[in-house]
Amino acid sequence: MSSLQKADVPFRPRLGPEDVIRLLKEKWGIPNGGNENQVHIKELPSYDDLNFLCRLPERVSKVDGAQDSSGAPEESSTSFVFKATKLHTRDRLEMQHAVMKRLETAGLPVAQVVPSLEGRETEEVEDPSDFSPHTLCRVMTYLEGDIRDLCARKGPEFFQEVGRVCGNVCRALQGFSHPASNWDWEWNTAAALKTGESLVECEPNPKRRQIARHFLALFRTYVQIPMEDARAKETAEGGQNGHSSISDKEQVMRTGVIHSDLNDTNLIWRGESVSGILDFGDAIHSFICFETANAAAYALMGQAEYCDPGKVQQESRKESIEQNKERGTVSALTLLQNATTLFESSHREFPLSTTELRTLFAATAIRILISVLFSAKYQASNPEDEYVKHTYEPGWTVLEELATIDGEFAVAFVRETLHANIGPLGKLVA
């Protein structure tokens, strides 16, 4: 999602570098025995939280109880991330830490929480914000690696790897629950219809507003109705359907805790592999299939300009693609193929039901739509902020292509491709 300037987010902490250096020393004893002036501070992009990268010379970086960051640290320094928030409650931060520990136990690469001198994972401090005088702060190990540029060319290996990570995250969180995961906000894909309808008029281009309404209608048909059916069934069964007993494997649309934001800035890479998963601030109890759809949305952004009919890989599907050109441009069909590669890779790790698979195309498009509509909204007040608008054109370019694809054809393409490459669908993880 997009970052906002501090003036536009009243709940964003106002701590400065000097405050961070002081708090590191007072609350965490960092650096241990060294001069706090040796801590090098750099603010990192963020939405509602405040994040600082803190680098320490190796000779003063040792902290009792702290562990080195995953990946190879710089030869002469150790790094941490100082995180401050006013939006999240202590319970939600504890939930995020529990999710991280769950993924770590499953062998997935996540940061570790560095306890304070008092042994706490979070510390409450004061800051000069008008929103609230209290801020919750944490320190985490820093994951070294690269972030892939949103608009860089992405090959099949990229989509396969992101899909693999999605599936492994879903599998690792199977059966996980936490009371603080039951919250809601406008970025939750389950609330996309309400959010999207409230933001459509923020888009100044009338043709793009028409495309927005097209995808809202698509979401209503392929996602909203199944969600409502799943919630009705959940209520009738007296609780959350989660990852528990599945009575109807073909039609079920499951809920559970998901990361919810495996986007371009939240995945760290080393070579062709994901070496780190960041930012659990959006972790929420929602529909599990949205984990894959949200990741696919960001993976597709910026890829329309690279589309080439020769890139469509499924030989068995080429004839069908040629027969259905009236249902989508060649670029759109290539984007659909890329998304399907990600869906397939995720499905191999954590199989989805036929109903869940039917939602993926519309849910992927709606996540892109919510991103560009929020971007349009905040550009109105921050026209010079490049970070606010970094998903806007890449997202709209993809949506303009995907709007040429018939929804039922997209659903059939995903289903038939996965059936051809994997086998019969609907065999869920018990």
Side-chain angles (χ1 to χ4, degrees), residues 3 24 42 74 86 94 117 120 125 147 190 192 200 206 216 232 245 253 274 279 288 307 345 349:
S3 171
L24 283 172
K42 176 184 177 182
E74 289 189 2
K86 289 180 179 292
E94 291 174 355
L117 293 174
R120 293 187 285 262
V125 304
I147 291 178
V200 168
L216 288 170
S245 59
M253 193 170 171
V274 171
D279 192 357
I288 297 165
C307 288
S345 183
E349 303 296 334

PDB file of all heavy atoms in Angstrom, residues 3 24 42 74 86 94 117 120 125 147 190 192 200 206 216 232 245 253 274 279 288 307 345 349:
ATOM      1  N   SER A   3       2.570   4.870   1.037  1.00  0.00           N
ATOM      2  CA  SER A   3       2.968   5.631   2.194  1.00  0.00           C
ATOM      3  C   SER A   3       2.378   7.032   2.100  1.00  0.00           C
ATOM      4  O   SER A   3       2.189   7.573   1.029  1.00  0.00           O
ATOM      5  CB  SER A   3       4.496   5.716   2.257  1.00  0.00           C
ATOM      6  OG  SER A   3       4.922   6.615   3.239  1.00  0.00           O
ATOM      7  N   LEU A  24      16.552   3.734  22.152  1.00  0.00           N
ATOM      8  CA  LEU A  24      17.336   2.508  21.994  1.00  0.00           C
ATOM      9  C   LEU A  24      18.256   2.304  23.186  1.00  0.00           C
ATOM     10  O   LEU A  24      18.409   1.184  23.689  1.00  0.00           O
ATOM     11  CB  LEU A  24      18.150   2.563  20.700  1.00  0.00           C
ATOM     12  CG  LEU A  24      17.409   2.305  19.391  1.00  0.00           C
ATOM     13  CD1 LEU A  24      18.321   2.604  18.202  1.00  0.00           C
ATOM     14  CD2 LEU A  24      16.900   0.872  19.313  1.00  0.00           C
ATOM     15  N   LYS A  42      18.335   5.712   9.759  1.00  0.00           N
ATOM     16  CA  LYS A  42      17.731   6.055   8.477  1.00  0.00           C
ATOM     17  C   LYS A  42      16.253   5.706   8.527  1.00  0.00           C
ATOM     18  O   LYS A  42      15.883   4.570   8.837  1.00  0.00           O
ATOM     19  CB  LYS A  42      18.400   5.287   7.334  1.00  0.00           C
ATOM     20  CG  LYS A  42      17.763   5.526   5.967  1.00  0.00           C
ATOM     21  CD  LYS A  42      18.403   4.659   4.892  1.00  0.00           C
ATOM     22  CE  LYS A  42      17.723   4.853   3.554  1.00  0.00           C
ATOM     23  NZ  LYS A  42      18.302   3.967   2.508  1.00  0.00           N
ATOM     24  N   GLU A  74      26.214  -6.974   7.078  1.00  0.00           N
ATOM     25  CA  GLU A  74      27.392  -6.301   6.572  1.00  0.00           C
ATOM     26  C   GLU A  74      28.590  -6.658   7.440  1.00  0.00           C
ATOM     27  O   GLU A  74      28.471  -6.902   8.651  1.00  0.00           O
ATOM     28  CB  GLU A  74      27.170  -4.790   6.562  1.00  0.00           C
ATOM     29  CG  GLU A  74      26.187  -4.346   5.511  1.00  0.00           C
ATOM     30  CD  GLU A  74      26.145  -2.847   5.365  1.00  0.00           C
ATOM     31  OE1 GLU A  74      26.906  -2.165   6.064  1.00  0.00           O
ATOM     32  OE2 GLU A  74      25.343  -2.375   4.539  1.00  0.00           O
ATOM     33  N   LYS A  86       1.019   4.120  16.677  1.00  0.00           N
ATOM     34  CA  LYS A  86      -0.097   4.571  17.493  1.00  0.00           C
ATOM     35  C   LYS A  86      -1.399   3.862  17.102  1.00  0.00           C
ATOM     36  O   LYS A  86      -2.341   3.810  17.876  1.00  0.00           O
ATOM     37  CB  LYS A  86      -0.296   6.080  17.337  1.00  0.00           C
ATOM     38  CG  LYS A  86       0.782   6.933  17.976  1.00  0.00           C
ATOM     39  CD  LYS A  86       0.478   8.400  17.768  1.00  0.00           C
ATOM     40  CE  LYS A  86       1.544   9.266  18.435  1.00  0.00           C
ATOM     41  NZ  LYS A  86       1.487   9.159  19.900  1.00  0.00           N
ATOM     42  N   GLU A  94       1.130  -8.113  19.772  1.00  0.00           N
ATOM     43  CA  GLU A  94       1.404  -9.456  20.277  1.00  0.00           C
ATOM     44  C   GLU A  94       0.938 -10.508  19.281  1.00  0.00           C
ATOM     45  O   GLU A  94       1.596 -11.548  19.099  1.00  0.00           O
ATOM     46  CB  GLU A  94       0.723  -9.652  21.631  1.00  0.00           C
ATOM     47  CG  GLU A  94       1.345  -8.818  22.748  1.00  0.00           C
ATOM     48  CD  GLU A  94       0.584  -8.915  24.054  1.00  0.00           C
ATOM     49  OE1 GLU A  94      -0.499  -9.561  24.066  1.00  0.00           O
ATOM     50  OE2 GLU A  94       1.052  -8.361  25.070  1.00  0.00           O
ATOM     51  N   LEU A 117      15.227  -4.120  27.873  1.00  0.00           N
ATOM     52  CA  LEU A 117      15.973  -4.424  29.093  1.00  0.00           C
ATOM     53  C   LEU A 117      15.071  -5.022  30.160  1.00  0.00           C
ATOM     54  O   LEU A 117      15.533  -5.773  31.035  1.00  0.00           O
ATOM     55  CB  LEU A 117      16.635  -3.146  29.623  1.00  0.00           C
ATOM     56  CG  LEU A 117      17.759  -2.558  28.755  1.00  0.00           C
ATOM     57  CD1 LEU A 117      18.216  -1.211  29.321  1.00  0.00           C
ATOM     58  CD2 LEU A 117      18.930  -3.525  28.647  1.00  0.00           C
ATOM     59  N   ARG A 120      10.479  -7.093  27.805  1.00  0.00           N
ATOM     60  CA  ARG A 120       9.213  -6.931  27.098  1.00  0.00           C
ATOM     61  C   ARG A 120       9.441  -6.820  25.589  1.00  0.00           C
ATOM     62  O   ARG A 120      10.452  -6.283  25.139  1.00  0.00           O
ATOM     63  CB  ARG A 120       8.466  -5.695  27.611  1.00  0.00           C
ATOM     64  CG  ARG A 120       7.981  -5.808  29.050  1.00  0.00           C
ATOM     65  CD  ARG A 120       7.113  -4.619  29.419  1.00  0.00           C
ATOM     66  NE  ARG A 120       7.920  -3.434  29.638  1.00  0.00           N
ATOM     67  CZ  ARG A 120       8.316  -2.989  30.832  1.00  0.00           C
ATOM     68  NH1 ARG A 120       7.993  -3.665  31.932  1.00  0.00           N
ATOM     69  NH2 ARG A 120       9.016  -1.880  30.937  1.00  0.00           N
ATOM     70  N   VAL A 125       6.016   4.551  25.075  1.00  0.00           N
ATOM     71  CA  VAL A 125       6.774   5.780  25.286  1.00  0.00           C
ATOM     72  C   VAL A 125       5.886   6.972  24.941  1.00  0.00           C
ATOM     73  O   VAL A 125       4.818   6.816  24.347  1.00  0.00           O
ATOM     74  CB  VAL A 125       8.060   5.814  24.414  1.00  0.00           C
ATOM     75  CG1 VAL A 125       8.917   4.587  24.687  1.00  0.00           C
ATOM     76  CG2 VAL A 125       7.709   5.893  22.931  1.00  0.00           C
ATOM     77  N   ILE A 147      14.985  -5.623  -2.430  1.00  0.00           N
ATOM     78  CA  ILE A 147      13.565  -5.464  -2.735  1.00  0.00           C
ATOM     79  C   ILE A 147      13.439  -5.298  -4.240  1.00  0.00           C
ATOM     80  O   ILE A 147      14.114  -4.458  -4.836  1.00  0.00           O
ATOM     81  CB  ILE A 147      12.969  -4.257  -1.999  1.00  0.00           C
ATOM     82  CG1 ILE A 147      12.923  -4.540  -0.491  1.00  0.00           C
ATOM     83  CG2 ILE A 147      11.565  -3.946  -2.518  1.00  0.00           C
ATOM     84  CD1 ILE A 147      12.397  -3.383   0.338  1.00  0.00           C
ATOM     85  N   ALA A 190     -11.772  -8.397   2.216  1.00  0.00           N
ATOM     86  CA  ALA A 190     -13.158  -8.791   2.490  1.00  0.00           C
ATOM     87  C   ALA A 190     -14.086  -7.580   2.521  1.00  0.00           C
ATOM     88  O   ALA A 190     -15.293  -7.710   2.297  1.00  0.00           O
ATOM     89  CB  ALA A 190     -13.238  -9.547   3.819  1.00  0.00           C
ATOM     90  N   ALA A 192     -13.611  -4.950   0.482  1.00  0.00           N
ATOM     91  CA  ALA A 192     -13.242  -4.210  -0.725  1.00  0.00           C
ATOM     92  C   ALA A 192     -14.424  -3.576  -1.435  1.00  0.00           C
ATOM     93  O   ALA A 192     -14.285  -2.500  -2.024  1.00  0.00           O
ATOM     94  CB  ALA A 192     -12.494  -5.136  -1.688  1.00  0.00           C
ATOM     95  N   VAL A 200     -14.496   5.446  -5.512  1.00  0.00           N
ATOM     96  CA  VAL A 200     -14.557   5.546  -6.977  1.00  0.00           C
ATOM     97  C   VAL A 200     -14.464   6.982  -7.456  1.00  0.00           C
ATOM     98  O   VAL A 200     -13.752   7.301  -8.421  1.00  0.00           O
ATOM     99  CB  VAL A 200     -15.845   4.885  -7.517  1.00  0.00           C
ATOM    100  CG1 VAL A 200     -16.054   5.250  -8.979  1.00  0.00           C
ATOM    101  CG2 VAL A 200     -15.763   3.374  -7.378  1.00  0.00           C
ATOM    102  N   PRO A 206     -12.888   9.683 -16.096  1.00  0.00           N
ATOM    103  CA  PRO A 206     -14.187   8.995 -16.189  1.00  0.00           C
ATOM    104  C   PRO A 206     -14.093   7.585 -16.765  1.00  0.00           C
ATOM    105  O   PRO A 206     -14.850   6.704 -16.359  1.00  0.00           O
ATOM    106  CB  PRO A 206     -15.019   9.917 -17.078  1.00  0.00           C
ATOM    107  CG  PRO A 206     -14.024  10.778 -17.802  1.00  0.00           C
ATOM    108  CD  PRO A 206     -12.863  10.932 -16.886  1.00  0.00           C
ATOM    109  N   LEU A 216     -15.739  -3.741  -9.548  1.00  0.00           N
ATOM    110  CA  LEU A 216     -16.585  -3.847  -8.361  1.00  0.00           C
ATOM    111  C   LEU A 216     -17.738  -4.816  -8.630  1.00  0.00           C
ATOM    112  O   LEU A 216     -18.088  -5.638  -7.766  1.00  0.00           O
ATOM    113  CB  LEU A 216     -17.123  -2.472  -7.970  1.00  0.00           C
ATOM    114  CG  LEU A 216     -16.089  -1.512  -7.359  1.00  0.00           C
ATOM    115  CD1 LEU A 216     -16.677  -0.107  -7.248  1.00  0.00           C
ATOM    116  CD2 LEU A 216     -15.635  -2.004  -5.991  1.00  0.00           C
ATOM    117  N   ALA A 232     -22.725 -16.999   6.311  1.00  0.00           N
ATOM    118  CA  ALA A 232     -24.003 -17.546   6.765  1.00  0.00           C
ATOM    119  C   ALA A 232     -23.810 -18.963   7.301  1.00  0.00           C
ATOM    120  O   ALA A 232     -24.371 -19.334   8.343  1.00  0.00           O
ATOM    121  CB  ALA A 232     -25.012 -17.543   5.618  1.00  0.00           C
ATOM    122  N   SER A 245     -12.885 -28.437  10.589  1.00  0.00           N
ATOM    123  CA  SER A 245     -13.603 -29.453   9.832  1.00  0.00           C
ATOM    124  C   SER A 245     -14.245 -28.890   8.568  1.00  0.00           C
ATOM    125  O   SER A 245     -15.007 -27.934   8.624  1.00  0.00           O
ATOM    126  CB  SER A 245     -14.688 -30.079  10.711  1.00  0.00           C
ATOM    127  OG  SER A 245     -15.575 -29.083  11.157  1.00  0.00           O
ATOM    128  N   MET A 253     -15.345 -21.810   1.413  1.00  0.00           N
ATOM    129  CA  MET A 253     -14.496 -20.631   1.332  1.00  0.00           C
ATOM    130  C   MET A 253     -14.027 -20.350   2.756  1.00  0.00           C
ATOM    131  O   MET A 253     -14.762 -19.815   3.582  1.00  0.00           O
ATOM    132  CB  MET A 253     -15.262 -19.445   0.744  1.00  0.00           C
ATOM    133  CG  MET A 253     -14.364 -18.295   0.342  1.00  0.00           C
ATOM    134  SD  MET A 253     -15.273 -17.045  -0.596  1.00  0.00           S
ATOM    135  CE  MET A 253     -14.027 -15.750  -0.661  1.00  0.00           C
ATOM    136  N   VAL A 274      12.998 -15.795  -2.197  1.00  0.00           N
ATOM    137  CA  VAL A 274      12.584 -14.890  -1.131  1.00  0.00           C
ATOM    138  C   VAL A 274      13.344 -15.268   0.132  1.00  0.00           C
ATOM    139  O   VAL A 274      13.298 -16.410   0.587  1.00  0.00           O
ATOM    140  CB  VAL A 274      11.062 -14.977  -0.898  1.00  0.00           C
ATOM    141  CG1 VAL A 274      10.665 -14.210   0.365  1.00  0.00           C
ATOM    142  CG2 VAL A 274      10.313 -14.429  -2.107  1.00  0.00           C
ATOM    143  N   ASP A 279       6.772  -6.919   7.624  1.00  0.00           N
ATOM    144  CA  ASP A 279       5.587  -6.094   7.867  1.00  0.00           C
ATOM    145  C   ASP A 279       4.312  -6.903   8.063  1.00  0.00           C
ATOM    146  O   ASP A 279       3.553  -7.156   7.124  1.00  0.00           O
ATOM    147  CB  ASP A 279       5.394  -5.096   6.727  1.00  0.00           C
ATOM    148  CG  ASP A 279       4.356  -4.030   7.084  1.00  0.00           C
ATOM    149  OD1 ASP A 279       3.762  -4.120   8.172  1.00  0.00           O
ATOM    150  OD2 ASP A 279       4.141  -3.126   6.263  1.00  0.00           O
ATOM    151  N   ILE A 288      -8.877 -16.927   3.497  1.00  0.00           N
ATOM    152  CA  ILE A 288      -7.511 -17.386   3.265  1.00  0.00           C
ATOM    153  C   ILE A 288      -7.062 -17.176   1.824  1.00  0.00           C
ATOM    154  O   ILE A 288      -5.897 -16.854   1.569  1.00  0.00           O
ATOM    155  CB  ILE A 288      -7.393 -18.874   3.663  1.00  0.00           C
ATOM    156  CG1 ILE A 288      -7.658 -19.028   5.161  1.00  0.00           C
ATOM    157  CG2 ILE A 288      -6.020 -19.430   3.315  1.00  0.00           C
ATOM    158  CD1 ILE A 288      -7.921 -20.444   5.593  1.00  0.00           C
ATOM    159  N   CYS A 307       4.325  -7.499 -21.660  1.00  0.00           N
ATOM    160  CA  CYS A 307       3.547  -8.624 -22.156  1.00  0.00           C
ATOM    161  C   CYS A 307       3.860  -8.907 -23.622  1.00  0.00           C
ATOM    162  O   CYS A 307       3.923  -8.007 -24.454  1.00  0.00           O
ATOM    163  CB  CYS A 307       2.052  -8.364 -21.982  1.00  0.00           C
ATOM    164  SG  CYS A 307       1.538  -8.442 -20.266  1.00  0.00           S
ATOM    165  N   SER A 345       1.420 -22.154  -8.236  1.00  0.00           N
ATOM    166  CA  SER A 345       2.508 -22.402  -7.298  1.00  0.00           C
ATOM    167  C   SER A 345       2.008 -22.378  -5.859  1.00  0.00           C
ATOM    168  O   SER A 345       2.407 -23.204  -5.029  1.00  0.00           O
ATOM    169  CB  SER A 345       3.603 -21.348  -7.504  1.00  0.00           C
ATOM    170  OG  SER A 345       4.704 -21.598  -6.664  1.00  0.00           O
ATOM    171  N   GLU A 349       1.325 -25.749  -2.766  1.00  0.00           N
ATOM    172  CA  GLU A 349       1.737 -25.766  -1.366  1.00  0.00           C
ATOM    173  C   GLU A 349       0.547 -25.816  -0.414  1.00  0.00           C
ATOM    174  O   GLU A 349       0.612 -26.450   0.643  1.00  0.00           O
ATOM    175  CB  GLU A 349       2.585 -24.522  -1.059  1.00  0.00           C
ATOM    176  CG  GLU A 349       3.815 -24.358  -1.920  1.00  0.00           C
ATOM    177  CD  GLU A 349       4.826 -25.470  -1.720  1.00  0.00           C
ATOM    178  OE1 GLU A 349       4.838 -26.081  -0.628  1.00  0.00           O
ATOM    179  OE2 GLU A 349       5.613 -25.730  -2.658  1.00  0.00           O
TER     180      GLU A 349
END
